[in-house]
Amino acid sequence: MVELKPESEVTAALLLRVEAGEQDAFSQLFARHRDWLRRLVEVRRDVRLAGRVDPSDVVQDAQLETFRRLSEFLSRRPMTFRLWLRKTLEQRLQMVQRQHIEAGKRSVGREQCVGGSSAPGQGAEFAGSGPSPSQQVAQHELAGRVREALLQLPEADREIVLMRTFEGLSYDEAAYVLEIDAAAARKRHGRALVRLHKLLTAGGLTESQI
Amino acid sequence: MNDALRTDDDRVEALVAEATDAYLECVERGERPDIAEFAGRYPAIAGMLGELLPAVCSLHDSTAAVSPAIAPMAHSSGIDGELGDFRLQREVGRGGMGIVYEAVQISLGRRVALKVLPLAAALDPRQLQRFRLEAQAAAHLHHSHIVPIHSVGCERGVYYYAMQFIEGRTLAEVIEEQRKRSPAADRRLDDCSATIDMPGANDSPASVKAAETRADARASAATMPVNWDRAHLQSAVRLAIQAAEALEHAHTMGVIHRDIKPANLLLDVESNLYVTDFGLARLQDSPGVTLTGDVAGTLRYMSPEQSLAQHGLVDHRTDIYSLGVTLYELLTLAPAFDAPNRHAILRQISQEEPIAPRKRNPAIPLDLETIVLKAMAKEPERRYATAKALADDLRRFLEHRPILARRPTLLESAAKWSRRHRGLVAVGFAMLMLTTLGFALSTALIAREQWKTKAAYRQLSAEQERTREAYDAEAKERAKAEQSFRQARQIVDFLFEVSEQELADKPELQDLRRTLLASALDYYQNFIEQTRDDPSLQSQLSASHLRVASIMEEIGTRADALAALERAKQLQEKLVRSHPSAPEFRRGLRTVYRRFGALHGGRDLFWLAHESVQQDLRLSPEQIEALAQLRRKRDETFELSEDLSPDKFQEKSDELHQQEQTLADLLTPEQRTRLKQILLQQRGPSALADPDVIASLDLSLEQRQQIRQFQNDAERFVRTSFQPGHKLRPEEYEQVKQAWSKTWQKMLGVLTDEQTARWKKLTGEKFAGRLPPPPHGGPHPHGPLPRPDRGRD
């Protein structure tokens, strides 16, 4: 198995407390990851369902599920805590999306909200990092184009790029999820970046898609 | 050609990944290198990077404020150039809690060190408020060994902290440098002419920066050999005293540092020490802030109460602990806890004792080791009560006066032991006993906590009163805990006595008895392990060896039993010699000799004195008379002579062998066989676990496992109905008896027909009589065990 990077020390300390039976510690532990998980949903959800799937619901769903299976995780610790959260979240998300697709095949197929529902007015994403409003707009435009290019990438390529840049996973963690070794993950990342670059330049870097 | 192309593509892809990773790393550190310039480092793909990296940043940024993996550190944007009244000149250090710049305070024209905190956006208002309060409190600390804080402020959303610029290096750098220069072979233990100051004095100044000073360090390495002479140790101790005094000052002002570690102790060019970064550690546990940089470097010095995130329990003694760990590292050049990952380090901190400093560096005097270990005790109440107490003890060490710290007593070792093994699933009663021990101790601990809380309110009261209270309380706690310990030992002794006396004459319960003995054996062996070097407990130690020997006779090998007896003998002889007037030690020695006798035919002799056995074996009156004589002779052998020399013992030992031979000659071969049969019957089901029996019956592995399983099941049942300290009621006794007899049937059912026949031959006809308890079931040589405080005189 791939040797994973250890937990962050706060997470590790909280896990110790969870193991000691402190329920409160689990809430804290989950709270630390809540925003990250929400973002994961925003990026990971099927773009066609973007308007229908509420990230908060999925995250809450995942919280219940992780709480239910906590002792199982603690006894085996097959992966880092945050990878485990991520995996659980992914499962819940897929379930929710399947339900939606089954429930309403009618209109979903026609929606093409490529930039993501969060495209306009989601400046909050960048809030706090200090740049001027005009810079924010420029950045936002770029973000939209990047997202579109990403969607055109083969899935394997998109995954590795998202994991490295958006999710902040290490190569080891990404490799664990993709069930390849870290060297292969690194190689795939390089290839994906080159492809991403091609898509970006083909689309015209200066041209706004929004 | 296709291949060549692919190779080219591969190379580009690899390079792009490498460059992107490098850039992402910078971004995660909070830097935002200029893309054009950065791309220039990779000429082959510079154009591509120029277009790709903004996209990568964009992706990254959309998570920067939320990902738990990525630290939202202060971005360089906004703080290059000027910050309020300060002109930044260069970055001199970067740590978990921000970046340190060398800067000039424009209005006063003075040089300062400016620490810039993580982006305020990552902290919630409550935390910022807390930071402001703590920083203000820290700014009020005026002490010659604390880096003075000039001002605390916030400019354009960036929090900062201006301090006096100290020219010098951090202790972490000093340690690191020494570590590099001290391959064991280079340690010059005898070189007294070497520079005696802590290195640093000759080095060029620099604040908390590493790169520049490395070169200086190398340059001066030749003049500053690492040596472990006394002067070197003394200068280390002097530094620790300075740090402890600084902490004492802060603590009396109500400020706890919470993050004492080598990197936060600065040494100036004259080897004066300064504690820096007061009041910052509080920020580290805020959810938005994830440490970057040397995370393990921070973790290693965390106190156990911090590592468990028990914020309520963290008081000023966390600093005493961390200073102890720092001193440990300074003296040994090795981190006290060095597991490769966070999880393991946390475990080490909360559960494992560090390797003794003297094992790593034999040049460390015993007293100094004692002080270090006391400072870094796991439980706050075992540490020095105040930083001043630590400083005082260190000074006593320097001045060759007796230190106040004591080596951990047996009791403390026992507590440590029980803590380390708390998680183990226990088998049998001994573990139950240990739980009792743990419970008794935790009761004592809670009482201590209550005292601590009270004491905390009086923290600022007069020094004298504080010391006295700490003293009284410590004495009281120790008395209480020792009492708990005694209780635990008494319970295990009780367990042993129950096995030996109450259960010994219940043939149906022999297996249970052996289980109890095995559990007690665990305890005694641990006891031996913990007390081996404690002079005040040698008599208990000897008694423990004796009990191990008894148990080994029952469930172990004869060789193990003899070895344990030998150790008990040596200890007991020493005790008799040093306490010639104490009759209990003499009695104890006699018991040891008797045990030797028991192992040399003494047991047979004992059984043969029993009428029912005599009848069964059809001993002649002459034989019975001869046996009686032999027993008398044996008693004479055990008359304790004044002469305790090895020669004398050898003489007696030879006598024993001779008597053993006489006994063997006295019985007919048939009688010897029958005696063996009877003894085997007495052993009941557990005989099937005996190595000799297994060999004679030729039991297969599966059979042995099955037998073991039945035995376990039955034991489990018995354990639930049998509690120490309470006698079985008749109906309970009946139930237990039935359970064993059922188990016995099941176990015999495992045997093949041929094995059953062999078993029958081994055990012979059922022995009709009732046997007495085993010969060593008599009262213990010491009667009730001496209390830990006896024999200390």
Side-chain angles (χ1 to χ4, degrees):
Chain A
M1 185 185 288
V2 186
E3 184 65 27
L4 288 172
K5 249 208 219 127
E7 310 277 3
S8 91
E9 81 279 22
V10 180
T11 299
L14 282 167
L15 278 173
L16 276 182
R17 288 172 55 195
V18 170
E19 269 182 313
E22 268 190 69
Q23 299 221 341
D24 187 38
F26 177 74
S27 321
Q28 285 181 41
L29 192 53
F30 197 88
R32 279 174 51 76
H33 295 84
R34 185 174 281 116
D35 284 344
W36 182 63
L37 292 172
R38 250 189 78 97
R39 298 279 157 181
L40 290 191
V41 178
E42 270 168 17
V43 159
R44 300 253 159 220
R45 65 186 161 179
D46 188 323
V47 285
R48 296 166 301 169
L49 289 168
R52 296 158 187 252
V53 175
D54 185 345
S56 304
D57 288 348
V58 183
V59 172
Q60 198 172 11
D61 222 22
Q63 180 171 14
L64 274 176
E65 183 65 14
T66 44
F67 186 68
R68 247 200 305 274
R69 290 171 40 211
L70 191 62
S71 57
E72 187 195 324
F73 168 77
L74 287 175
S75 63
R76 290 190 22 242
R77 298 227 190 199
M79 56 189 99
T80 60
F81 181 71
R82 82 175 174 170
L83 273 192
W84 181 61
L85 282 184
R86 186 186 177 282
K87 189 177 155 198
T88 310
L89 183 82
E90 204 170 42
Q91 285 163 356
R92 302 311 295 177
L93 179 62
Q94 273 171 14
M95 250 182 67
V96 171
Q97 295 192 146
R98 255 203 310 278
Q99 284 163 5
H100 275 282
I101 290 170
E102 296 294 288
K105 287 199 158 117
R106 52 204 189 278
S107 58
V108 173
R110 274 175 278 134
E111 289 173 14
Q112 286 292 331
C113 188
V114 203
S117 72
S118 54
Q122 283 275 310
E125 248 175 80
F126 306 107
S129 47
S132 69
S134 65
Q135 273 176 309
Q136 282 186 20
V137 171
Q139 280 183 5
H140 199 131
E141 284 175 6
L142 175 64
R145 287 203 306 281
V146 172
R147 216 169 282 179
E148 196 197 352
L150 266 183
L151 284 174
Q152 293 173 38
L153 279 180
E155 198 193 343
D157 290 357
R158 181 166 64 238
E159 282 298 324
I160 187 72
V161 171
L162 282 178
M163 283 178 191
R164 286 288 299 151
T165 58
F166 183 89
E167 297 183 25
L169 296 189
S170 67
Y171 275 124
D172 285 342
E173 285 176 315
Y176 182 89
V177 176
L178 297 172
E179 295 176 327
I180 54 182
D181 64 32
R186 184 172 281 118
K187 204 163 145 60
R188 189 180 289 183
H189 189 217
R191 192 181 60 204
L193 286 170
V194 170
R195 286 186 183 154
L196 179 66
H197 174 253
K198 273 192 193 120
L199 286 167
L200 283 170
T201 44
L205 268 173
T206 53
E207 188 191 331
S208 172
Q209 299 282 305
I210 302 170
Chain B
M1 191 173 129
N2 247 349
D3 276 359
L5 265 182
R6 190 166 305 131
T7 326
D8 255 352
D9 282 351
D10 283 351
R11 207 173 296 140
V12 168
E13 285 167 12
L15 202 54
V16 169
E18 189 196 321
T20 308
D21 290 339
Y23 196 81
L24 273 172
E25 238 177 77
C26 293
V27 171
E28 284 183 19
R29 276 205 306 270
E31 294 164 38
R32 206 46 85 102
D34 181 72
I35 287 181
E37 194 191 312
F38 184 87
R41 294 183 213 165
Y42 301 84
I45 53 167
M48 193 193 288
L49 286 179
E51 290 157 351
L52 187 61
L53 289 181
V56 166
C57 285
S58 157
L59 271 171
H60 174 272
D61 282 356
S62 58
T63 69
V66 291
S67 163
I70 300 163
M73 295 289 289
H75 289 187
S76 50
S77 61
I79 52 168
D80 40 323
E82 285 181 12
L83 190 68
D85 191 21
F86 301 95
R87 187 184 310 121
L88 308 186
Q89 296 188 314
R90 63 191 173 108
E91 182 180 321
V92 290
R94 188 177 275 274
M97 284 317 299
I99 304 169
V100 183
Y101 296 92
E102 184 184 339
V104 172
Q105 190 169 8
I106 301 164
S107 57
L108 297 171
R110 68 175 166 185
R111 188 150 66 124
V112 300
L114 198 72
K115 185 142 194 164
V116 175
L117 297 185
L119 204 63
L123 304 169
D124 71 35
R126 229 187 32 226
Q127 284 159 347
L128 281 176
Q129 174 67 12
R130 196 161 65 183
F131 160 69
R132 271 194 295 266
L133 287 174
E134 294 224 4
Q136 274 158 15
H140 283 107
L141 300 177
H142 298 292
H143 190 270
S144 48
H145 295 298
I146 294 177
V147 180
I149 293 177
H150 297 319
S151 59
V152 182
C154 174
E155 278 296 327
R156 285 178 281 153
V158 175
Y159 281 80
Y160 64 86
Y161 194 110
M163 322 168 258
Q164 183 182 318
F165 190 88
I166 305 288
E167 297 204 338
R169 297 179 301 155
T170 70
L171 199 56
E173 287 165 3
V174 172
I175 291 174
E176 178 58 29
E177 184 194 300
Q178 293 200 4
R179 190 160 23 219
K180 276 190 193 143
R181 278 197 273 126
S182 70
D186 281 353
R187 290 180 187 169
R188 295 205 272 155
L189 291 161
D190 50 355
D191 186 352
C192 293
S193 63
T195 318
I196 57 167
D197 262 356
M198 282 304 291
N202 301 337
D203 282 0
S204 87
S207 183
V208 272
K209 62 168 177 171
E212 270 182 41
T213 45
R214 288 273 142 71
D216 297 333
R218 269 195 297 277
S220 55
T223 62
M224 294 191 307
V226 173
N227 58 81
W228 295 115
D229 62 23
R230 197 158 172 82
H232 178 96
L233 293 168
Q234 283 179 346
S235 49
V237 170
R238 264 184 224 112
L239 290 179
I241 291 174
Q242 293 177 14
E245 283 173 343
L247 288 176
E248 174 67 15
H249 175 73
H251 292 167
T252 52
M253 301 292 286
V255 177
I256 304 171
H257 190 291
R258 290 192 180 82
D259 191 21
I260 288 293
K261 57 183 175 184
N264 279 338
L265 303 178
L266 303 180
L267 296 188
D268 71 7
V269 289
E270 279 153 3
S271 284
N272 291 311
L273 178 142
Y274 299 84
V275 182
T276 186
D277 270 10
F278 269 96
L280 287 183
R282 274 285 179 105
L283 295 175
Q284 287 178 355
D285 55 19
S286 52
V289 181
T290 309
L291 298 180
T292 56
D294 183 14
V295 175
T298 292
L299 205 57
R300 280 198 188 108
Y301 309 95
M302 239 184 213
S303 63
E305 60 269 27
Q306 279 178 311
S307 76
L308 293 171
Q310 297 169 325
H311 296 302
L313 299 179
V314 175
D315 60 18
H316 67 283
R317 288 171 298 185
T318 193
D319 289 346
I320 294 170
Y321 172 90
S322 301
L323 183 55
V325 178
T326 300
L327 182 55
Y328 180 107
E329 187 166 340
L330 185 58
L331 292 171
T332 62
L333 299 186
F337 301 107
D338 55 0
N341 63 57
R342 297 173 193 193
H343 190 72
I345 288 184
L346 287 173
R347 195 166 292 260
Q348 281 185 329
I349 289 175
S350 60
Q351 292 174 18
E352 288 173 25
E353 297 304 322
I355 295 174
R358 279 156 59 83
K359 281 205 180 117
R360 293 192 139 140
N361 176 5
I364 298 171
L366 187 67
D367 275 358
L368 186 52
E369 177 181 86
T370 305
I371 292 175
V372 171
L373 290 177
K374 181 177 170 80
M376 59 189 287
K378 302 261 187 248
E379 304 90 344
E381 49 285 335
R382 300 228 175 278
R383 296 173 205 151
Y384 289 96
T386 64
K388 181 172 185 298
L390 169 59
D392 289 347
D393 234 9
L394 285 170
R395 212 171 275 116
R396 275 183 210 105
F397 165 77
L398 277 188
E399 293 162 5
H400 306 287
R401 287 186 290 140
I403 60 166
L404 293 188
R406 289 167 44 243
R407 312 290 294 177
T409 63
L410 158 69
L411 156 71
E412 286 155 349
S413 302
K416 280 178 188 171
W417 185 88
S418 78
R419 185 181 57 235
R420 276 200 297 271
H421 295 78
R422 195 160 46 186
L424 293 181
V425 180
V427 188
F429 286 119
M431 292 304 157
L432 198 108
M433 301 307 133
L434 288 171
T435 317
T436 314
L437 168 68
F439 178 73
L441 285 176
S442 64
T443 315
L445 288 177
I446 289 167
R448 202 170 307 160
E449 281 306 317
Q450 286 166 345
W451 165 77
K452 192 177 77 184
T453 319
K454 268 183 255 151
Y457 287 114
R458 293 188 290 251
Q459 201 53 251
L460 295 175
S461 67
E463 179 60 40
Q464 245 183 343
E465 193 192 339
R466 217 163 94 194
T467 317
R468 190 175 49 76
E469 273 183 25
Y471 234 91
D472 289 354
E474 244 184 61
K476 222 161 59 198
E477 299 313 339
R478 201 178 308 129
K480 202 184 293 173
E482 282 194 1
Q483 190 191 351
S484 309
F485 168 76
R486 271 202 303 275
Q487 280 165 0
R489 167 92 198 197
Q490 276 164 9
I491 292 167
V492 180
D493 287 340
F494 164 80
L495 166 75
F496 177 81
E497 275 146 27
V498 163
S499 314
E500 291 295 82
Q501 290 159 18
E502 296 242 346
L503 295 178
D505 60 349
K506 295 185 175 64
E508 307 87 350
L509 294 182
Q510 287 312 295
D511 275 26
L512 167 64
R513 181 167 153 263
R514 286 189 182 88
T515 310
L516 293 182
L517 288 176
S519 306
L521 179 67
D522 273 357
Y523 175 87
Y524 287 123
Q525 280 174 336
N526 270 295
F527 184 93
I528 288 167
E529 191 58 37
Q530 302 287 344
T531 57
R532 186 177 294 146
D533 302 324
D534 191 330
S536 66
L537 290 161
Q538 294 303 298
S539 75
Q540 287 209 6
L541 184 55
S542 158
S544 297
H545 278 304
L546 204 50
R547 296 207 150 165
V548 167
S550 307
I551 296 170
M552 284 298 185
E553 276 178 49
E554 285 276 314
I555 62 173
T557 67
R558 190 182 141 106
D560 286 337
L562 279 173
L565 265 185
E566 182 59 34
R567 285 190 289 271
K569 174 175 86 79
Q570 283 168 5
L571 282 166
Q572 203 66 32
E573 282 174 351
K574 233 194 308 186
L575 283 170
V576 171
R577 259 186 238 116
S578 51
H579 300 82
S581 58
E584 69 264 31
F585 295 133
R586 202 160 281 277
R587 275 202 302 275
L589 186 59
R590 193 198 315 245
T591 308
V592 174
Y593 287 163
R594 278 190 195 286
R595 288 296 154 73
F596 271 105
L599 283 170
H600 291 286
R603 292 189 79 164
D604 292 351
L605 210 51
F606 183 89
W607 298 110
L608 286 169
H610 207 264
E611 210 175 325
S612 62
V613 178
Q614 291 174 356
Q615 281 169 7
D616 190 286
L617 294 187
R618 296 195 188 84
L619 295 182
S620 66
E622 292 76 30
Q623 279 178 313
I624 293 174
E625 176 51 31
L627 284 169
Q629 265 183 24
L630 195 53
R631 270 206 311 281
R632 277 195 295 275
K633 216 159 143 196
R634 175 146 294 200
D635 283 344
E636 281 163 26
T637 311
F638 291 127
E639 271 317 307
L640 201 54
S641 91
E642 292 301 314
D643 181 4
L644 297 166
S645 70
D647 288 349
K648 189 77 189 172
F649 182 78
Q650 191 55 48
E651 200 181 292
K652 289 182 183 293
S653 189
D654 292 344
E655 274 176 44
L656 287 178
H657 279 291
Q658 218 178 350
Q659 291 165 7
E660 198 178 6
Q661 195 52 48
T662 314
L663 174 62
D665 295 342
L666 222 150
L667 298 179
T668 66
E670 294 75 30
Q671 285 170 331
R672 280 203 297 270
T673 310
R674 180 56 186 159
L675 183 60
K676 267 189 201 150
Q677 287 178 343
I678 294 173
L679 294 183
L680 203 53
Q681 285 185 26
Q682 289 312 114
R683 296 191 57 179
S686 78
L688 287 176
D690 182 288
D692 291 339
V693 175
I694 288 172
S696 333
L697 294 186
D698 200 13
L699 294 176
S700 73
L701 184 62
E702 290 98 299
Q703 284 178 315
R704 274 181 280 163
Q705 281 169 343
Q706 263 179 303
I707 287 171
R708 186 72 225 145
Q709 187 57 47
F710 289 138
Q711 211 167 352
N712 285 345
D713 291 346
E715 277 167 14
R716 208 170 301 129
F717 168 76
V718 170
R719 251 181 255 132
T720 53
S721 49
F722 184 94
Q723 298 287 324
H726 131 87
K727 274 199 163 183
L728 288 186
R729 292 198 304 274
E731 65 270 24
E732 286 171 330
Y733 179 74
E734 202 49 45
Q735 275 183 347
V736 170
K737 220 167 106 180
Q738 278 172 15
W740 275 116
S741 102
K742 239 194 253 163
T743 304
W744 185 214
Q745 294 310 317
K746 278 196 235 168
M747 283 159 76
L748 287 178
V750 170
L751 302 183
T752 63
D753 289 349
E754 203 213 321
Q755 285 169 332
T756 309
R758 260 190 265 171
W759 171 251
K760 283 201 172 128
K761 214 171 142 202
L762 278 177
T763 48
E765 270 173 53
K766 193 165 168 29
F767 173 65
R770 211 175 147 73
L771 279 182
H776 54 69
H780 189 268
H782 296 313
L785 279 163
R787 313 208 143 176
D789 44 2
R790 258 173 71 185
R792 249 179 216 167
D793 38 309

